[in-house]
Amino acid sequence: QSTVETITIPVNVETIGDYVFKQCPKLKSISVNVNNKHFSSDSTGALLNKNQSILIQYPIGNEAKTYTLPVDVETIKSYAFSSCSSLTTLTLTSVEVIEQNAFKSIGITELTIPQTITSIGASAFASCSKLATLNYPNKQITVDKTMLTGCSAMRTIKITGAAATVNYETGNQPWNSVIGIITTVEFASSVTRVPNYAFEGAVKLTTITWEGITSIGNYAFKGCSGIKETFTIPDKITTLGTNSFEGCSRITGLTIGKGLTSITNYAFKG
């Protein structure tokens, strides 16, 4: 591993290969000659392309606790922040694409994915061992189910954003790799539907905050055996999808809200 602490990119550099600075754990700053036509750097010493739409590398050895992405950044490259363990607070601003392993093993405790996001790569936030809360937008995103692999402190998922029809496939939720340790799910008041398979297999889930939910998708809470014995369907909810609470074996008392008009097949099977 390199012991380099500062790097200066001269004016004539036109290309920089993948993962060039990945093995530079003491790197505190990257600066780019202002006349370089292809690259730039920000005030923290991060390396970006010229118009700052792509963040290429954040200096691993930078000891700053917080970082806010420049407003123009749309893409974060693979391993850009990997192993930046000092970083505890991250603002992703208007990012659209997060590539694989981009934030692997950083020190954040809470993560907010912005509404602008369209794609999240494999293991994007893997091994963030202090990450306990995920704020995730209620929209259909291309996301790899390994994005949270190894995030052993994860307990709370908060679904944010506007009303939208979002669905997942079984075993392919964005939080699939931590589904077995989630204890709390919160839906913002603007979110009206729980997606299909959203929390299937969340065996330790005990607390659900419904807010504006009116419809629960198919298999949404299948196998959530940690849901408490006395369970209440709020008045706002009108529809329970197929097998929506199948296998919730601890439910022994059920109170159905006044608004419920449709309970589809096998909603409480098993």
Side-chain angles (χ1 to χ4, degrees):
Q1 292 186 334
S2 173
T3 58
V4 171
E5 294 188 1
T6 62
I7 293 174
T8 300
I9 309 296
V11 65
N12 294 325
V13 172
E14 297 181 1
T15 61
I16 297 176
D18 294 336
Y19 320 137
V20 170
F21 306 109
K22 186 174 180 289
Q23 298 297 322
C24 299
K26 296 186 178 182
L27 183 61
K28 298 183 183 300
S29 177
I30 303 169
S31 62
V32 180
N33 186 295
V34 294
N35 294 316
N36 187 294
K37 295 180 179 181
H38 303 280
F39 300 101
S40 64
S41 55
D42 67 9
S43 59
T44 69
L47 174 66
L48 304 97
N49 67 339
K50 188 62 177 180
N51 68 5
Q52 299 202 337
S53 63
I54 301 172
L55 193 146
I56 300 165
Q57 181 69 56
Y58 182 85
I60 300 173
N62 190 317
E63 297 177 352
K65 301 294 184 184
T66 65
Y67 183 72
T68 298
L69 258 67
V71 68
D72 292 327
V73 171
E74 298 174 354
T75 298
I76 300 172
K77 298 296 288 182
S78 298
Y79 294 97
F81 290 82
S82 180
S83 301
C84 295
S85 56
S86 294
L87 201 58
T88 58
T89 303
L90 177 68
T91 302
L92 294 176
T93 317
S94 303
V95 71
E96 297 176 11
V97 177
I98 299 173
E99 295 188 359
Q100 63 179 6
N101 296 289
F103 294 96
K104 184 177 181 180
S105 301
I106 69 171
I108 56 173
T109 57
E110 183 167 355
L111 170 65
T112 298
I113 305 294
Q115 297 293 325
T116 51
I117 197 74
T118 60
S119 175
I120 302 176
S123 302
F125 298 92
S127 301
C128 293
S129 59
K130 297 179 181 179
L131 180 57
T133 301
L134 172 66
N135 300 284
Y136 195 84
N138 185 49
K139 62 180 291 188
Q140 206 76 50
I141 299 166
T142 301
V143 55
D144 193 284
K145 67 179 182 180
T146 65
M147 66 171 280
L148 297 171
T149 295
C151 296
S152 55
M154 180 62 66
R155 296 294 182 270
T156 301
I157 306 291
K158 299 180 180 181
I159 307 299
T160 63
T165 300
V166 179
N167 287 309
Y168 304 118
E169 298 295 329
T170 183
N172 203 36
Q173 313 96 324
W175 38 83
N176 178 262
S177 54
V178 294
I179 195 71
I181 58 175
I182 294 169
T183 61
T184 302
V185 172
E186 300 178 9
F187 295 93
S189 59
S190 53
V191 179
T192 59
R193 181 179 179 275
V194 181
N196 293 352
Y197 297 98
F199 297 98
E200 178 191 26
V203 295
K204 293 188 177 181
L205 179 62
T206 58
T207 303
I208 305 170
T209 302
W210 303 99
E211 292 293 331
I213 295 295
T214 60
S215 176
I216 298 176
N218 301 336
Y219 304 92
F221 296 102
K222 179 184 176 183
C224 294
S225 54
I227 293 177
K228 61 186 179 180
E229 287 83 354
T230 303
F231 188 67
T232 300
I233 304 295
D235 290 343
K236 283 187 176 182
I237 293 178
T238 62
T239 303
L240 299 183
T242 300
N243 300 77
S244 50
F245 290 93
E246 178 186 346
C248 297
S249 55
R250 287 187 60 198
I251 297 177
T252 57
L254 179 64
T255 300
I256 295 176
K258 297 177 182 178
L260 193 64
T261 58
S262 177
I263 303 176
T264 51
N265 297 345
Y266 307 113
F268 292 96
K269 178 183 177 182

